[in-house]
Amino acid sequence: MLIRTSELRSQMERIRQSDYSVISMQEFLEWRFGTRLLPEKCILITLDDGWRSVYTDAYPIFKEYGYPFHLFLYTSYLSGQGDSMTPDMIKEMQKDGASVGSHSATHPYPSDWKSVQNKGEEAYEAMIDKEIGATRPQLEKMFGTVNTYCYPGGYNDATMQKKLPEYGYAAAFTVLPGKVDSKENPLCIDRYMILGTDSSVFEDAMDFTTASISEGPATGYTPGALPRNTPRPTFQVTPAPDSTVPTTLPTISANLSNVPDINMSTVSMRVTGFGYVPHKVNRTERTVQWTAPCRIIRHVAVCILAGYV
């Protein structure tokens, strides 16, 4: 987990002292599909990948507070070797409120999906069958009912969303931050990716008084954000797209000096696998910059969002 145990405990205490309810994934799905009523302000806790630290560090805290939580697991990372959990660890946590969803077979990154997609529709659908379709029965054999999926790195498209119900998934989750309402596309649900490198994300998640970028009709906008149907401006990103760098702790930057009328005070930066990151803004040079807090060994994609003056 990219968060200190003490900070996680502090966050759970904040939730306990608030008037927010922590709900299970089953309760969330029942609400989303109209068979359950929930309090207006609820929190759903999810954890990705299957790191052993979830069992050793997070699980005791969730158990202490009596909070349910949902594990998105990828099937090739369930051996117990290295930093992964064993199936028995997960089964133990299920007795104390944990539930399980799929996070693919091998956790492919956006570049992996796109590489296979370039080989043609047949190859791409075969990869979707393997990574998304086949993992559900594998996980169900070990852990019982599995009806949720989490897109690795948040990457998804219309083909994936079309096939998810065919595989038996009721809902799928991204890494885009935002509050969820009853109109949310159940196959593209927003989540706040809370890391130990930026406490502001947790604060945003706890704030039910402000609108998020994902809220509002597709043709509208929220202050400080581009309308969803507005073409994104082009800008220079370093390292360059599809390039390889000689370090696993890269600094990623974007030069927005050629983007007219941009409001630098509203700029946010999102990196695949990390969600929104605590970047540095240089208003004079009109650049944003972020250095990875942990090793990156695969390709990542960078997205910049900003409003206009």
Side-chain angles (χ1 to χ4, degrees):
M1 295 177 65
L2 295 176
I3 186 171
R4 293 182 181 275
T5 306
S6 59
E7 184 173 356
L8 177 64
R9 180 183 295 278
S10 176
Q11 291 172 350
M12 296 304 103
E13 181 62 20
R14 277 278 307 281
I15 293 173
R16 188 187 69 80
Q17 293 180 6
S18 73
D19 59 350
Y20 307 157
S21 300
V22 177
I23 61 174
S24 68
M25 179 62 75
Q26 183 61 34
E27 289 173 325
F28 171 82
L29 294 177
E30 290 173 0
W31 165 80
R32 175 58 187 81
F33 294 105
T35 61
R36 173 186 286 269
L37 294 176
L38 290 175
E40 183 180 3
K41 300 174 182 179
C42 295
I43 292 175
L44 173 66
I45 298 174
T46 64
L47 302 99
D48 294 1
D49 298 341
W51 295 95
R52 183 180 290 262
S53 58
V54 171
Y55 176 78
T56 58
D57 297 354
Y59 168 46
I61 296 175
F62 296 145
K63 185 177 180 180
E64 175 186 340
Y65 280 85
Y67 290 160
F69 55 101
H70 194 69
L71 304 170
F72 284 116
L73 308 170
Y74 63 101
T75 54
S76 65
Y77 197 56
L78 288 173
S79 64
Q81 298 178 353
D83 293 324
S84 68
M85 286 189 287
T86 66
D88 285 343
M89 291 176 180
I90 296 163
K91 290 176 182 177
E92 179 183 343
M93 290 189 290
Q94 285 185 295
K95 298 177 182 179
D96 291 298
S99 54
V100 171
S102 172
H103 197 30
S104 78
T106 64
H107 202 291
Y109 283 80
S111 58
D112 300 320
W113 287 109
K114 293 176 182 178
S115 177
V116 174
Q117 194 172 29
N118 291 335
K119 297 178 182 179
E121 182 178 345
E122 184 176 347
Y124 187 55
E125 292 201 3
M127 181 178 180
I128 293 175
D129 288 339
K130 174 185 176 182
E131 293 288 342
I132 303 178
T135 56
R136 179 172 174 264
Q138 292 171 9
L139 290 170
E140 286 198 327
K141 187 175 182 180
M142 290 183 282
F143 307 118
T145 301
V146 171
N147 53 14
T148 59
Y149 181 76
C150 174
Y151 303 106
Y155 182 79
N156 68 92
D157 60 18
T159 303
M160 292 181 187
Q161 292 190 29
K162 179 181 178 180
K163 294 180 74 68
L164 279 165
E166 299 175 9
Y167 299 135
Y169 293 105
F173 293 75
T174 73
V175 295
L176 294 175
K179 300 298 188 293
V180 179
D181 61 28
S182 60
K183 297 179 182 179
E184 188 93 356
N185 178 357
L187 300 179
C188 201
I189 299 171
D190 294 338
R191 294 187 304 163
Y192 289 90
M193 299 300 291
I194 298 173
L195 305 175
T197 53
D198 185 8
S199 60
S200 67
V201 181
F202 177 76
E203 298 302 327
D204 289 344
M206 290 288 287
D207 183 3
F208 282 80
T209 64
T210 57
S212 64
I213 290 174
S214 65
E215 292 179 331
T219 56
Y221 67 96
T222 52
L226 287 173
R228 281 191 171 186
N229 59 348
T230 300
R232 303 299 184 192
T234 58
F235 48 83
Q236 180 182 0
V237 175
T238 304
D242 298 320
S243 64
T244 301
V245 295
T247 176
T248 56
L249 296 171
T251 294
I252 300 173
S253 63
N255 188 325
L256 307 175
S257 59
N258 67 332
V259 181
D261 300 325
I262 194 168
N263 184 348
M264 294 300 294
S265 66
T266 68
V267 172
S268 59
M269 185 176 186
R270 179 164 56 84
V271 179
T272 295
F274 293 87
Y276 283 85
V277 296
H279 58 281
K280 297 180 180 178
V281 177
N282 186 316
R283 290 179 171 81
T284 302
E285 298 181 1
R286 295 160 69 83
T287 61
V288 293
Q289 177 181 298
W290 171 78
T291 300
C294 60
R295 294 199 313 154
I296 298 178
I297 58 175
R298 302 294 293 274
H299 288 86
V300 299
V302 179
C303 176
I304 304 294
L305 299 175
Y308 285 79
V309 297

